[in-house]
Amino acid sequence: MLVSDQINDKEVPRCALAVAAHPDDLEFSCAGTLARWARQGTKVVYLICTSGEAGFDRPDLSREERIAIREAEQRAAAEVLGVHEVVFLREPDGLLQPTLELRRKIVREIRRFQPEAVVCWDPSLLWINGSMVNHPDHRAAAQATVDAVFPSAGLLYLHEDFLAEGLKPWKPECLVIVSFDGGDTFMDIEKTIELKIAALKKHKSQIRDWDPEPFIRKTAERQGRVRGLRYAEAFKVIQLNKPLS
Ligand SMILES: [Zn+2]
C-alpha cells in the first residue's frame, strides 16, 4: 500500500499534490506529513485555489497587495517544509464553488504533475470538533479535488484539448483526505512537527500575536494517541485503481 500508517514505512509517493482553498490550510492540517514525505524524496506540490485575500482585516491594502502578502507567506511556509512548487489558481476568496471550471483547473494540474497521491480536505466536513463551522471554500476546494481525481483526470475523452498540450490522462493511486475527527491512517510527525509549527508561523497576517505551537502540539498528541505515537496527523485514505474485491 502506497500510503499506510507510516510508522516504519519507507515507501512514499513519488509525487504528492496537496490541494487547498487558502494559504495556511495545509500548514494547519497536514504539513507534518508533507514535510516528512519531502524529506523522504517525494516531490510535494501545493495547489492553492484562492490567494486568501478576504481573510484579512487591512482596509488600507488593495486586493492585489493582500494577494501578494498571502502568496508570499504561503511560499515562505512551503519553503520551510521542503515543498517543491506552489501553484495559485487565484479564484476569488470567500466565493469558491465546486464548479466544472474549477474541477477542470485541478485536472490540468493533476495531469501536469502526475501525482501518485492527491491530498485534500474532506468535502463532507461541515463542523470541526463541535467548535467551528468548516469554511465553505474548504468544502468547495475538497469537492472539486475529489471530483477531479475521479474520474475526470483519468478519462481520455474528457478535456481532450489538454492532449494538445501534452497533458495525458492520469490516475492517481490514492486520495489522502485530511481528518479532524477520526480517520483510518495516522502519520507519525514527531520528526517534522517543528517544521509544521515554523511553517505556520510564516502566515503572519493570519496568526498575528497568536502562538500556534500549543494548539498544533495538542492536536498532534490527540491524533497520535490513537496509534501510540507522540505526534501524528490523521487521514482517510482512498486507494484508487484497485480491482473490486
Ligand atoms: Zn482556510
Side-chain angles (χ1 to χ4, degrees):
M1 198 180 284
L2 188 67
V3 176
S4 56
D5 276 7
Q6 293 194 357
I7 297 164
N8 296 303
D9 199 343
K10 295 281 183 289
E11 194 181 5
V12 293
R14 182 188 46 75
C15 175
L17 180 70
V19 189
H22 310 121
D24 83 11
D25 290 350
L26 298 170
E27 282 70 41
F28 266 108
S29 54
C30 53
T33 297
L34 298 175
R36 180 181 160 166
W37 283 351
R39 281 182 165 191
Q40 289 176 272
T42 299
K43 176 178 178 175
V44 178
V45 178
Y46 270 20
L47 177 58
I48 311 297
C49 296
T50 83
S51 292
E53 69 274 13
F56 231 115
D57 287 333
R58 288 284 302 273
D60 55 313
L61 299 176
S62 69
R63 179 171 186 264
E64 287 68 31
E65 286 169 326
R66 284 178 275 132
I67 286 174
I69 289 170
R70 293 216 63 188
E71 289 188 359
E73 290 174 348
Q74 180 63 96
R75 287 205 166 88
E79 198 177 324
V80 168
L81 299 167
V83 171
H84 290 72
E85 194 165 336
V86 184
V87 177
F88 295 98
L89 294 180
R90 293 192 179 163
E91 297 292 311
D93 183 20
L95 300 172
L96 198 65
Q97 289 285 305
T99 59
L100 290 174
E101 191 193 349
L102 178 61
R103 190 195 300 179
R104 177 184 159 87
K105 289 178 181 177
I106 297 170
V107 166
R108 174 193 287 277
E109 302 308 322
I110 291 171
R111 291 189 181 187
R112 187 154 75 98
F113 290 103
Q114 303 186 331
E116 289 173 323
V118 174
V119 184
C120 65
W121 283 33
D122 184 341
S124 70
L125 185 70
L126 275 173
W127 332 109
I128 302 177
N129 296 331
S131 60
M132 232 179 112
V133 174
N134 191 21
H135 194 301
D137 285 1
H138 296 164
R139 283 184 276 129
Q143 188 65 62
T145 304
V146 171
D147 296 346
V149 165
F150 184 85
S152 302
L155 289 182
L156 180 61
Y157 296 112
L158 270 188
H159 310 301
E160 285 177 87
D161 52 320
F162 284 161
L163 290 174
E165 299 175 40
L167 301 175
K168 295 184 187 138
W170 180 259
K171 294 181 180 178
E173 286 188 28
C174 59
L175 192 51
V176 183
I177 307 285
V178 168
S179 178
F180 294 100
D181 55 352
D184 52 32
T185 300
F186 296 80
M187 306 286 189
D188 183 347
I189 62 159
E190 184 169 355
K191 293 195 175 83
T192 53
I193 191 166
E194 308 290 344
L195 294 176
K196 180 175 186 174
I197 294 163
L200 192 49
K201 286 181 177 175
K202 295 292 182 187
H203 295 280
K204 291 193 181 77
S205 70
Q206 303 302 296
I207 65 168
R208 289 181 278 188
D209 296 334
W210 179 63
D211 178 5
E213 183 163 353
F215 167 76
I216 292 295
R217 287 195 189 277
K218 204 171 107 196
T219 305
E221 278 169 4
R222 178 168 52 79
Q223 297 189 312
R225 223 170 282 138
V226 182
R227 288 286 191 276
L229 297 167
R230 188 167 176 218
Y231 296 119
E233 287 170 344
F235 300 90
K236 292 170 198 161
V237 177
I238 318 297
Q239 300 289 342
L240 307 160
N241 310 328
K242 269 203 325 189
L244 293 175
S245 58

